[in-house]
């Protein structure tokens, strides 16, 4: 089967989302292309994935119509994994394959970022957009047509931002006006929104699930049943997702779907998980089952986030549905997994709601502001998993310096210093539980 999709990222989300969708298209007999995965960072699992033949099992579990549902799919939609850090020529060779048409990615919110430290001759350049630019330039030199980009990173206008980074690298590297025109003329950058809670390898349940499979699976993946992929444009003729029964929305404007989902679902996750971890909990489900954390999350959602979106019935119902999805008894979503790159996630997922609440009321939202204090407290522990420079800055600087760093947050947050410092003091004196009890609306 020919390789038609280039995928940047081998993590649990893409394996439980895009790769599963391609498998469903195979099963439905409506698509005959496979995925070649590119490892986007130096430390990854490319070699391991190749060793198991790029096959793995995905369990989708949840409650549907009052009944427990458990669906297992063996996914073999990936043909191979290329590690550009070990074989850069193999990465560039992807540009020479005329069958490769679609590029998908999930490099976290921090992934679509420009760095003038990247050089054309780096093999490979460090950033994801720089790697894309090198791939595009190689494609351009072959005389082949461009790609359809479907980035899955949870940032506003993800494809537009990726294209902007590519054009900046084209200028930095003096790749020429003809290449710039080719990028804009021959390539399509489609903004997208993705929605599925994917929880990855189920450590505590792996042995039992592998009994059902019949063999050990180091890439075993788990996710909820619900899924949604909103894509700008309509490419059903190239990717017959709807024909395969996938819940995809082709639309001219992703914005309203994305704003609701990122602010409510992802905002709920990010505003809750660091406080939940410091409180001694380990999963989202435990947070929903704990009365203190449940109250914190409910007030965050319905008193502070949803009112900034307009408090429509649609938004309120979406918030209720999110709480139900978080209560899925099969989803053991680790708080520390969600905590990866929390600063960039907070900036994208939580800070817009916090600032909108300030604009709307003239006051700091207490629960969202508390979540920022919890973030700072978390970054002074050993559990942090973030870009080294970001982690070091929060660990080595005081709260005033952290909040004033506009490079971290996109703006100066000094106006939050009084409330954030007060919450930090409460956390230090009373612990997270005692501090949560002191939050006043």
């Amino acid at each position: 089967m020919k390789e038609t999709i280039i995928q940047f990222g081998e993590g649990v989300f893409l394996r439980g989302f895009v790769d599963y969708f391609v498998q469903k298209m195979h099963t439905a007999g409506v698509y005959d292309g496979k995925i070649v995965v590119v490892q986007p960072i130096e430390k990854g699992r490319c070699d391991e994935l190749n060793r198991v033949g790029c096959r793995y099992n995905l369990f989708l579990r949840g409650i549907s119509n009052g009944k427990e549902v458990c669906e297992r799919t063996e996914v073999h939609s990936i043909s191979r994994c290329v590690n550009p850090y070990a074989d850069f020529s193999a990465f560039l060779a992807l540009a020479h394959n005329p069958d490769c048409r679609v590029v998908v990615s999930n490099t976290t919110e921090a992934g679509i970022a420009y760095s003038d430290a990247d050089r054309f001759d780096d093999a490979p350049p460090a950033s994801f957009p720089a790697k894309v630019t090198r791939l595009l330039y190689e494609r351009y030199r072959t005389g082949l047509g461009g790609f359809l980009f479907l980035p899955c990173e949870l940032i506003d206008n993800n494809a537009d931002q990726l294209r902007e980074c590519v054009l900046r690298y084209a200028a930095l590297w003096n790749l020429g006006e003809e290449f710039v025109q080719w990028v804009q003329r021959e390539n399509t950058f489609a903004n997208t929104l993705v929605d599925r809670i994917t929880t990855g390898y189920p450590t505590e349940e792996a042995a039992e699930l592998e009994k059902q499979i019949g063999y050990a699976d180091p890439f075993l993946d788990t996710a909820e049943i619900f899924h949604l992929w909103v894509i700008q444009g309509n490419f059903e003729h190239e990717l017959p997702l709807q024909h395969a029964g996938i819940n995809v929305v082709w639309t001219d404007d992703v914005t309203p779907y994305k704003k609701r989902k990122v602010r409510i679902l992802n905002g709920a996750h990010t505003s809750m998980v660091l406080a939940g971890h410091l409180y001694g909990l380990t999963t989202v489900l435990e947070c929903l089952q704990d009365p203190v954390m449940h109250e914190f999350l409910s007030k965050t959602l319905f008193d502070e986030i949803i009112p900034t979106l307009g408090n429509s019935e649609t938004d309120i119902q979406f918030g209720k549905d999110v709480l139900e999805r978080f209560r899925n008894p099969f989803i053991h979503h680790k708080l520390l997994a969600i905590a990866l790159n929390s600063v960039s996630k907070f900036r994208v997922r939580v800070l817009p709601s916090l600032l909108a609440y300030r604009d709307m009321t003239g006051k700091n939202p207490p629960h969202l502001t508390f979540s920022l204090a919890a973030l700072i407290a978390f970054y002074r522990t050993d559990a942090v998993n973030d870009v080294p420079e970001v982690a070091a800055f929060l660990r080595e600087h005081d709260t005033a310096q952290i909040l004033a760093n506009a490079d971290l947050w996109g703006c100066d947050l000094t106006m939050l210093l009084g409330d954030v410092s007060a919450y930090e003091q409460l956390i230090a004196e009373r612990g997270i539980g005692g501090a949560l009890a002191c939050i006043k609306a």
Side-chain angles (χ1 to χ4, degrees), residues 209-225:
L209 294 177
E210 286 175 343
K211 287 181 181 178
Q212 299 180 40
I213 299 169
Y215 58 89
D217 183 355
F219 284 86
L220 180 62
D221 202 359
T222 56
E224 66 174 335
I225 299 168

Side-chain angles (χ1 to χ4, degrees), residues 167-341:
L167 295 177
R168 291 181 70 183
Y169 282 116
L172 178 70
W173 296 340
N174 297 311
L175 299 182
E177 182 60 28
E178 186 176 315
F179 170 66
V180 169
Q181 291 179 5
W182 178 87
V183 168
Q184 301 194 81
R185 182 183 67 249
E186 298 292 334
N187 297 271
T188 301
F189 292 80
N191 296 313
T192 78
L193 165 71
V194 297
D195 192 357
R196 166 170 270 174
I197 298 172
T198 307
T199 46
Y201 188 82
T203 303
E204 297 175 359
E205 304 169 274
E208 183 61 33
L209 294 177
E210 286 175 343
K211 287 181 181 178
Q212 299 180 40
I213 299 169
Y215 58 89
D217 183 355
F219 284 86
L220 180 62
D221 202 359
T222 56
E224 66 174 335
I225 299 168
F226 177 87
H227 69 271
L228 172 66
W229 199 2
V230 183
I231 302 174
Q232 180 184 23
N234 190 332
F235 307 98
E236 182 73 16
H237 62 290
E238 293 189 69
L239 291 172
L241 294 159
Q242 290 179 342
H243 282 73
I246 304 303
N247 185 25
V248 63
V249 175
W250 305 109
T251 179
D252 292 335
D253 187 6
V254 173
T255 304
Y257 298 92
K258 175 162 283 183
K259 187 175 183 180
R260 179 185 302 124
K261 187 263 181 177
V262 172
R263 296 275 190 98
I264 297 177
L265 188 148
N266 300 107
H269 265 159
T270 300
S271 60
M272 173 185 71
V273 294
L274 303 181
H277 169 75
L278 294 172
Y279 190 48
L281 305 176
T282 59
T283 68
V284 171
L285 181 60
E286 288 177 4
C287 290
L288 269 290
Q289 293 171 335
D290 181 89
V292 173
M293 286 307 303
H294 184 275
E295 181 180 14
F296 173 80
L297 177 58
S298 294
K299 288 185 176 180
T300 300
L301 273 176
F302 297 105
D303 293 352
E304 298 178 15
I305 295 177
I306 293 176
T308 68
L309 297 173
N311 242 8
S312 71
E313 287 300 319
T314 300
D315 292 335
I316 292 170
Q317 186 58 50
F318 188 83
K320 293 177 180 178
D321 292 342
V322 161
L323 292 183
E324 285 301 309
R325 291 167 65 188
F326 285 1
R327 289 192 189 98
N328 185 338
F330 297 102
I331 296 295
H332 302 289
H333 206 171
K334 299 290 187 180
L335 301 182
L336 288 181
I338 303 170
L340 173 69
N341 296 333

Side-chain angles (χ1 to χ4, degrees), residues 158-176:
N158 45 20
D160 293 341
Q161 292 201 41
L162 177 58
R163 177 177 54 208
E164 179 61 27
C165 287
V166 167
L167 295 177
R168 291 181 70 183
Y169 282 116
L172 178 70
W173 296 340
N174 297 311
L175 299 182

